[in-house]
Amino acid sequence: MNSVRLGYSEEALSLQGLGYRNIILLFVLLNSLLEKQRDYALNAVMIEEPEAHLCINNIRLLISFLNVFTQKNSLVQLFYSTHSTEFINKMDLRNVVIMHNGQAYSFVDELTPTQLDYLTKNPNLDLFKLFFSKKCILVEGISEEMLIRAYLTEQKALNDIELLSFHKGFIDIIKIWKKVNSGSGNKLGIIRDYDDQDKAKENHDKFNDDKNICVRTTHEYTLEPEIVKTGNNYSILRDKYGETFGWTNFTEDEMQQAWRNAKASEMLRICQDLANGELKGFQLPQHIKEVLDFLS
């Protein structure tokens, strides 16, 4: 193996990092099975943490290799345990098995086709953070995510809260989360907008009966008016950003309406200042505070 060259490198394999040596070892191991397809009825290969010590480029290369290899070799069955969602094929989740607290949950057995499609269609879904975080908050959009991250950054206390933007469809993901986390001490918080949908709020509130789940919805239509009408936030925001955002002479209603129409850029500036400790007296809306208190 010492004489092996990787790519265009001029250095021996023994001088390469552990990640490079691991990926070459896997390539050699799997390729060796190509010569033995006629010797055995079935080859089973088990790999533990194929992502170990690999940079993102080599992870991508290995994933591609594994996919092509399994497609071309019907007599080889490949099993791998991983802590990286990079190795999960979102377009086909039927081969995924979640291991948690000594229990195994096969997606193809535990989930309906509709639920599998639901997970596939969600962008940037990190299954590990979602299912294995001891404390996880799901929010609908980037505004909530930035606000909570800024608040947690500004706090002096430690926290182990995972925050994920998940848009809509919380009920389906709550049902999946409950299956995986049955009997565990993990907690899930849901922060959502009211959107003038009483029935949807009622359906989500039913999950508050579970001691490990906390669902909270805005009283107002969406997040911005909730922020403006909380505590002394209106005065703080007007004094801080009146000239910058044109809010100097705005009422509460005018401020939240203007904010909703251009909320991404303005929310970013506000959250940056909050994280830097420049918004003394600023308060989180009650529905967000209750979820954070529940996780704490």
Side-chain angles (χ1 to χ4, degrees), residues 52-211:
H53 307 288
L54 294 182
C55 68
I56 186 60
N57 292 324
N58 281 336
I59 286 178
R60 295 290 188 193
L61 181 63
L62 179 56
I63 292 169
S64 179
F65 178 83
L66 295 179
N67 288 337
V68 172
F69 178 85
T70 53
Q71 290 169 9
K72 292 185 175 182
N73 296 275
S74 59
L75 298 182
V76 178
Q77 190 168 15
L78 179 64
F79 299 84
Y80 51 82
S81 62
T82 177
H83 294 279
S84 172
T85 51
E86 299 291 340
F87 285 83
I88 293 179
N89 180 7
K90 278 193 64 179
M91 300 312 298
D92 187 3
L93 296 174
R94 293 173 297 175
N95 290 329
V96 176
V97 177
I98 295 286
M99 307 293 294
H100 198 198
N101 290 336
Q103 300 294 321
Y105 303 89
S106 171
F107 275 12
V108 73
D109 294 329
E110 299 289 340
L111 307 182
T112 66
T114 300
Q115 289 173 325
L116 284 172
D117 290 344
Y118 171 73
L119 288 178
T120 299
K121 290 185 293 185
N122 271 277
N124 303 317
L125 176 60
D126 192 326
L127 295 174
F128 288 98
K129 291 180 180 179
L130 175 62
F131 291 135
F132 295 143
S133 296
K134 291 185 178 298
K135 302 173 184 178
C136 183
I137 299 178
L138 301 183
V139 297
E140 288 193 12
I142 189 63
S143 293
E144 289 85 354
E145 181 179 349
M146 287 194 298
L147 178 64
I148 297 173
R149 288 190 187 280
Y151 176 80
L152 293 176
T153 299
E154 192 265 344
Q155 300 303 301
K156 304 305 180 185
L158 299 176
N159 82 82
D160 55 352
I161 296 173
E162 187 60 54
L163 188 63
L164 300 174
S165 292
F166 212 81
H167 197 51
K168 301 287 186 179
F170 291 129
I171 288 180
D172 283 335
I173 203 61
I174 291 174
K175 292 178 180 178
I176 299 172
W177 186 91
K178 288 182 65 175
K179 287 183 178 180
V180 175
N181 287 276
S182 175
S184 76
N186 293 352
K187 292 184 177 183
L188 178 67
I190 305 290
I191 295 174
R192 56 186 303 275
D193 290 340
Y194 172 44
D195 292 336
D196 287 341
Q197 296 179 350
D198 291 321
K199 186 62 176 178
K201 181 180 183 303
E202 180 182 340
N203 291 335
H204 283 81
D205 285 346
K206 293 177 182 178
F207 290 99
N208 286 316
D209 294 335
D210 190 306
K211 66 178 182 179

